[in-house]
Amino acid sequence: MGPARTVADVGIEALAVHVPRHYLDVGDLARANGVDPGKYCFGLGCRRMAVLAPDEDPVVLAVRAATALFERYDIDPASVGMVVVGTESGVDAAKPIATYVHRMAGLPRDCRTFDVQHACYGGTAGLRMATGWVLGGLRPGRKALVIATDVARYEIGSPGEPTQGAAAVAMLVGDEPRVLRLEPYAEAVHTEEVMDFWRPTYRATALADGHHSIECYLRALEGCWSGFTAESGLGLGAFDYLLYHSPFPKMAFKAHKRLYEVATNGGAGFDPDYERRVLPTLWSNTEVGNAYSASLYVSLAGLLEHSEVDAAGKRVGLFSYGSGCCAEFIAARVGDDASAWRGRTGLRQVLAARREITHESYLRFRQAHEELARDGSFRTPLAPEGVAFCGTWNHQRVYRDATWPAAVTSARPGDACPPSDVLRPASRPVRVQAGE
Ligand code: CAA
């Protein structure tokens, strides 16, 4: 028997990001809503929000993040033994997104698949389950694929609208954590039943008691931090960077302010500290908006791909918050060799490949999604290549992917997709370039 492994040996081996092909400038949204752009851009810290085209959904984002992960890191999909999808944008109350990912990413049959839902905490819950599974050691050599995928959608004109966004982050979890090693401190978690943000199953848009949600977030942060610091003996100064769940970037500012006050007994020097240890983690969030369970990992990708930051070997603190609520503070160490992630997460490529849309197009895209979810027709105009959401048929979601017959995969924009009963079992992995 080999030596017992510890949490110190487990973490993220590879990480890839996928975002929708379009974005809306939040200033344009403010002008359309008759709001001073300063409120959205400076008051909330938002800049751009990712908008789903009609042929994109949380499944498509997840599959594209997964296939980008396999390609960019040259990972054999056969090495995956478990797929966990953290999401609060579930497209079905029973069938998990993980099963769609399993087929479209060409994963092996001897693989466990499931979704985890706890608002924005789902991705972190998946990460923790995956690390526990790796440590359990019952599938030696196999890796866990954890994907956080979400679409943040609020009512038009509501206070949450400027904070919308979407993204998926795929992470390979195993015992060679070249990207991020989780440090073996006792868990620092906080749960409290609160009604701060929710989406009943009959609604496509979320509801929030906004100011209450901010207070719940900050209370959970204090709860996690007091547990963490008591157990670990580490102070805030032990961290090179702090990543806070970012429903809107100003929330990370508020979070760090609260923690800084608690940790330093209201000490001076907050502003430069925020600029040094938090600001470098937020640029990617300002590009995509809130991505719920993926937001924290969009921040992580942003830090890793920051052009002026060398994160190699640095200790980071990650605060994950899911409304309802459950939160966790995690200490982790970035890998020592930046070539393991630099330029490989796909973050910069997918952001650079996006197109800006007008407020009118944003409204049209939203309406298309509402109609697709409602009437089950096949009217989705398709992007020329790659995995795409075609629409619904017989109450099933239908996707175009590489396992479809050639005549279907070459469908032109506007062509109808056939129903999913023509689908064949996956015979080979989908190969999709990030940034298409
Ligand atoms: N110029 C500059 N700043 C301005 C301004 C102007 N013209 N007008 C207002 N502001 C400032 C305000 O002073 C305020 O700043 P502070 O917070 O520093 O005081 C900021 O802009 C926002 O103004 P309001 O508080 O008046 O904004 P609001 O009430 O209309 O909406 C919100 C803000 C409640 C966060 C809303 O966006 C919302 O409900 N969002 C969804 C819920 C959410 O994200 N909650 C976060 C915690 S829960 C969580 O984290 C889970 C999750 O992902 C959802």
Side-chain angles (χ1 to χ4, degrees):
M1 227 168 107
R5 279 178 293 177
T6 71
V7 182
D9 302 309
V10 180
I12 302 172
E13 298 189 0
L15 181 147
V17 180
H18 190 75
V19 303
R21 301 193 302 277
H22 303 95
Y23 69 86
L24 177 67
D25 185 291
V26 169
D28 288 350
L29 178 69
R31 284 180 281 277
N33 285 354
V35 174
D36 177 2
K39 174 174 176 180
Y40 291 175
C41 300
F42 298 109
L44 297 172
C46 302
R47 184 167 171 243
R48 292 170 168 171
M49 63 189 216
V51 179
L52 289 186
D55 65 352
E56 294 173 312
D57 73 356
V59 177
V60 169
L61 298 184
V63 174
R64 286 184 162 235
T67 50
L69 184 91
F70 294 145
E71 285 210 344
R72 292 184 159 275
Y73 295 82
D74 199 20
I75 292 163
D76 180 1
S79 66
V80 174
M82 180 162 95
V83 183
V84 191
V85 172
T87 187
E88 60 179 285
S89 316
V91 295
D92 191 297
K95 183 175 164 60
I97 290 178
T99 56
Y100 291 107
V101 173
H102 180 269
R103 178 177 62 77
M104 290 195 254
L107 297 173
R109 295 263 186 219
D110 61 339
C111 187
R112 179 181 288 121
T113 50
F114 59 99
D115 288 2
V116 176
Q117 181 208 316
H118 188 137
C120 309
Y121 179 68
T124 302
L127 180 62
R128 280 304 204 187
M129 282 179 165
T131 54
W133 177 79
V134 171
L135 286 169
L138 295 180
R139 301 293 296 277
R142 299 294 282 273
K143 315 287 182 190
L145 174 63
V146 178
I147 306 173
T149 182
D150 265 316
V151 178
R153 210 177 271 134
Y154 299 91
E155 285 297 298
I156 290 171
S158 70
E161 190 185 19
T163 72
Q164 294 177 134
V169 180
M171 297 170 271
L172 194 76
V173 175
D175 55 7
E176 297 168 86
R178 287 176 286 264
V179 174
L180 193 77
R181 179 168 59 81
L182 303 195
E183 294 193 300
Y185 295 108
E187 286 184 340
V189 289
H190 176 101
T191 283
E192 186 184 342
E193 202 272 321
V194 289
M195 205 66 188
D196 62 333
F197 165 98
W198 62 103
R199 182 172 69 83
T201 46
Y202 52 83
R203 287 181 64 99
T205 50
L207 299 161
D209 185 346
H211 293 276
H212 177 54
S213 72
I214 292 172
E215 277 316 309
C216 293
Y217 177 120
L218 294 175
R219 204 162 57 237
L221 173 63
E222 281 191 51
C224 290
W225 176 254
S226 66
F228 176 79
T229 191
E231 289 284 338
S232 68
L234 294 182
L236 204 56
F239 293 92
D240 296 295
Y241 295 100
L242 288 141
L243 294 86
Y244 299 95
H245 166 59
S246 173
F248 51 94
K250 181 80 165 287
M251 188 69 233
F253 172 90
K254 289 177 190 285
H256 191 58
K257 197 164 179 47
R258 177 67 63 92
L259 210 53
Y260 194 82
E261 281 167 5
V262 169
T264 63
N265 265 332
F270 169 76
D271 286 348
D273 190 72
Y274 166 78
E275 287 194 15
R276 185 170 58 82
R277 294 199 289 169
V278 180
L279 205 52
T281 73
L282 292 174
W283 71 270
S284 45
N285 302 93
T286 66
E287 290 288 337
V288 298
N290 196 357
Y292 292 158
S293 65
S295 272
L296 185 61
Y297 303 97
V298 168
S299 301
L300 176 60
L303 177 68
L304 297 174
E305 296 282 12
H306 196 295
S307 55
E308 285 153 33
V309 168
D310 178 9
K314 298 290 194 298
R315 177 183 273 151
V316 297
L318 300 105
F319 175 67
S320 181
Y321 176 78
S323 289
C325 72
C326 180
E328 179 164 5
F329 185 88
I330 297 173
R333 208 41 102 169
V334 178
D336 290 327
D337 179 5
S339 69
W341 66 78
R342 202 35 106 182
R344 298 177 85 181
T345 70
L347 174 65
R348 288 190 176 278
Q349 291 86 340
V350 287
L351 291 179
R354 296 187 305 172
R355 278 199 302 131
E356 183 173 358
I357 52 169
T358 61
H359 184 256
E360 290 71 32
S361 299
Y362 152 69
L363 292 179
R364 269 193 294 109
F365 283 9
R366 268 185 81 117
Q367 192 170 350
H369 270 281
E370 279 161 27
E371 284 176 13
L372 281 165
R374 198 169 40 232
D375 70 12
S377 62
F378 293 110
R379 284 176 287 113
T380 308
L382 294 174
E385 291 172 57
V387 178
F389 170 47
C390 302
T392 52
W393 174 83
N394 196 19
H395 304 292
Q396 301 169 22
R397 285 176 102 82
V398 180
Y399 295 91
R400 180 193 65 188
D401 66 82
T403 63
W404 284 43
V408 178
T409 52
S410 62
R412 292 183 308 276
D415 283 355
C417 285
S420 61
D421 59 0
V422 303
L423 296 177
R424 308 277 187 274
S427 53
R428 62 193 165 92
V430 182
R431 292 294 179 202
V432 181
Q433 288 292 339
E436 269 173 0

